[in-house]
Amino acid sequence: MTGLAIECRGLTKRYGTVLALDGLNLEVPRQVVFGFLGPNGAGKTTTMKILAGLIAPSAGEARIAGRRVSREDPAARRSVDYLPEEPAFYGWMTPREYLMFVGGLLGLSGPEARRRADELLELVDLRDAARRRIGGFSRGMRQRLGIAQALVGRPEVLLLDEPSSALDPLGRRDVLALIERLADETTVFMSTHILADVERVCQQVAIIAEGRLLAQAGKEELRQRYAAPVFEIETAGEAPGLAEHLRSLPWTERVVQEGNLLRLMARDAFRAREELPAILAAQGGNLLRYEQALPTLEDVFVRLLEA
Amino acid sequence: MMTALIRKELLEQWRTRRLWVLCAVFIFFGLLAPITAKLAPELLRWVASTTPGVVLQLPPPSAADVVAQYIKNLSQLLPLVVLLAAMGAVVGEKERGTLPMVLAKPVSRGAFLGAKFLGLALTLVLALVLGAVSAYYYSLLLFDGPELGGFLLMNLLAGLYLLVVLVLTFLASTVAASTVMAGVLAFALWAVLLILGALPRIGRASPTTLLNWAGRLGMGQPGEAEWLALGVTLGILAAALVGAWLHFRGQEL
């Protein structure tokens, strides 16, 4: 048996003339929270659905816990479970009934399914809503119930497709806290385009675009390998022309402006450190802060995609 | 796993009130047959009596009229009710997005479809039994019959006919892209069945012929058995279920 949680080899998926996945190769180790990053339309959901056994690849293969995933082999899905981007439930059921239904699908006896349902309702903080109809749940509650239903069978691999993208800040915080807690029990393979979520909960990251893998490594390694040196410049008020001037410099790769904060990615860190103080001195009392900052995953992401 | 799926289907029929509605409709039409058979002649006589110069002579109503009315309801109105109740069975789950989380479990697509069809078929059987009991009880109150054995066989054959409508609707619900499309497709398939049933020679093999046989059995005049129609009916049931499974097996969700 392979030591990998997920293994994709040349995974390809065509929808007519559209190539959703283009020979994707991926290796996900066990017992990590793995961020699967990519812009919209990159092929994240297609990969997830193939891994969940919902669609078949046009070519290549995927293995979960060493076993080949197949739509025709239900037993292969014993070691994996899946939460779609917008989980939909039977609105007439209560969450306890739904979890017991899932327990029944996984072969648990009635008492076992009830016990597991109660454990999971506690874990996802839905015990107080156990007798309410799911139809009246908020998105955050549905998402937490979605994670609970995916955990009923204690899967070795948990596939979460954009688990926090549709949530409000509080719902997002709760779901991310839950994912962090799961890291000791299972391998979490989580697709997202929210980089802050990856920064917070993932240990390893893969970035894909147009169905192909661009990079895969630990978060720190990615930053070191792919991020350009970053300088942050904060001014008290508007600094007319400063961003444009910085963009025009030969050693500048990119300048991002958010209000009075400028983030400058430099092609040549040495020249930036040498020349920036003189440029910023012209700002006089308007300059609040200037520092070399740690590159973020967003810097890596944008740089890889632009490349 | 199969038990969990079937339990869910039956619970869904109960909670969404589909079971209640279907049973209520079948009971209503079951009661309507003997009542209509009893009251229709009296109503006609009364209308005739209010028109000067018109003398209406009608034979006294009998259990045979109940059977005729009952079969008419079973062949014309109740198939539409079955169609409406079943057209969203599979495609409705696709539209609501409830399928991926269920089929991501170690559940075979055949088991999922099988449980769904079984849930619908059990609901139909229960509704038919309640409707038949209502019709028979009121027939006994208002008339002397019909004869129990023939009435049971009649319902068995009529039930098979409704099962054909159910299985065609189920097939339509599996292949269609929306509930409305499934309804249209199921109606079209049923219409084809009716047209084929009306054709000479071919019609003899159609499931609609089962209703003629059922009517004769209910009236205590079995006549010639329609084994060919019965065989074709069972063949359609099997073929539609296999077709639904083959199509669903390859669907991408």
Side-chain angles (χ1 to χ4, degrees), chain B residues 138-154:
Chain B
Y138 254 70
S139 300
L140 284 181
L141 286 183
L142 300 174
F143 306 95
D144 284 339
E147 189 264 321
L148 181 62
F151 188 75
L152 287 177
L153 283 173
M154 175 184 80

Side-chain angles (χ1 to χ4, degrees), chain B residues 85-241:
Chain B
M87 67 188 196
V90 180
V91 72
E93 292 236 19
K94 278 189 262 176
E95 285 176 324
R96 288 190 295 274
T98 45
L99 270 184
M101 285 199 300
V102 174
L103 293 179
K105 308 283 180 291
V107 172
S108 77
R109 296 195 177 195
F112 177 83
L113 271 193
K116 205 158 247 314
F117 182 72
L118 212 58
L120 286 168
L122 287 174
T123 305
L124 174 63
V125 167
L126 179 66
L128 183 67
V129 166
L130 291 175
V133 167
S134 311
Y136 191 73
Y137 177 69
Y138 254 70
S139 300
L140 284 181
L141 286 183
L142 300 174
F143 306 95
D144 284 339
E147 189 264 321
L148 181 62
F151 188 75
L152 287 177
L153 283 173
M154 175 184 80
N155 276 287
L156 191 67
L157 291 177
L160 268 177
Y161 175 73
L162 289 179
L163 213 54
V164 168
V165 177
L166 178 70
V167 84
L168 291 177
T169 308
F170 191 72
L171 174 65
S173 186
T174 306
V175 302
S178 72
T179 301
V180 175
M181 280 303 297
V184 171
L185 182 58
F187 189 82
L189 289 172
W190 182 44
V192 167
L193 210 64
L194 292 177
I195 292 166
L196 289 178
L199 295 176
R201 287 194 206 160
I202 295 174
R204 195 70 195 272
S206 164
T208 52
T209 301
L210 286 186
L211 291 173
N212 302 333
W213 189 17
R216 294 199 302 270
L217 285 166
M219 290 175 196
Q221 304 152 2
E224 195 184 339
E226 305 287 355
W227 298 118
L228 180 61
L230 183 62
V232 169
T233 299
L234 295 175
I236 290 175
L237 285 173
L241 282 176

Side-chain angles (χ1 to χ4, degrees), chain B residues 2-82:
Chain B
M2 199 63 185
T3 316
L5 285 168
I6 293 171
R7 193 186 302 131
K8 175 252 159 188
E9 290 305 324
L10 294 177
L11 192 63
E12 184 167 25
Q13 302 288 339
W14 177 268
R15 290 268 180 86
T16 57
R17 297 189 174 83
R18 209 173 297 152
L19 180 72
W20 301 15
V21 170
L22 209 62
C23 288
V25 170
F26 271 72
I27 289 171
F28 173 76
F29 282 108
L31 293 174
L32 198 64
I35 292 172
T36 310
K38 180 78 177 172
L39 294 183
E42 289 178 20
L43 195 67
L44 286 172
R45 268 191 217 101
W46 176 77
V47 172
S49 67
T50 59
T51 314
V54 174
V55 178
L56 197 62
Q57 283 192 327
L58 291 168
S62 68
D65 298 317
V66 177
V67 169
Q69 186 62 44
Y70 186 74
I71 285 291
K72 199 193 273 181
N73 292 344
L74 275 173
S75 61
Q76 292 172 358
L77 297 168
L78 293 176
L80 278 175
V81 177
V82 170

Side-chain angles (χ1 to χ4, degrees), chain A residues 248-274:
Chain A
S248 69
L249 298 168
W251 41 264
T252 298
E253 185 175 299
R254 202 159 63 95
V255 176
V256 178
Q257 185 163 15
E258 291 168 11
N260 292 335
L261 179 71
L262 294 175
R263 276 178 72 80
L264 182 150
M265 274 130 271
R267 281 193 196 96
D268 185 336
F270 182 79
R271 282 190 68 188
R273 275 195 296 270
E274 200 174 50

Side-chain angles (χ1 to χ4, degrees), chain A residues 49-55 64 67-82 106 150 153 155-157 159, chain B residues 1 100-110:
Chain A
K49 285 185 170 182
I50 290 174
L51 292 173
L54 295 172
I55 59 175
I64 288 191
R67 187 161 183 165
R68 188 174 179 166
V69 175
S70 162
R71 208 172 42 179
E72 279 79 35
D73 179 14
R77 298 197 283 277
R78 286 220 162 265
S79 46
V80 61
D81 217 320
Y82 168 64
L106 295 165
E156 290 178 57
V157 177
L159 308 170
Chain B
M1 177 244 290
M101 285 199 300
V102 174
L103 293 179
K105 308 283 180 291
V107 172
S108 77
R109 296 195 177 195

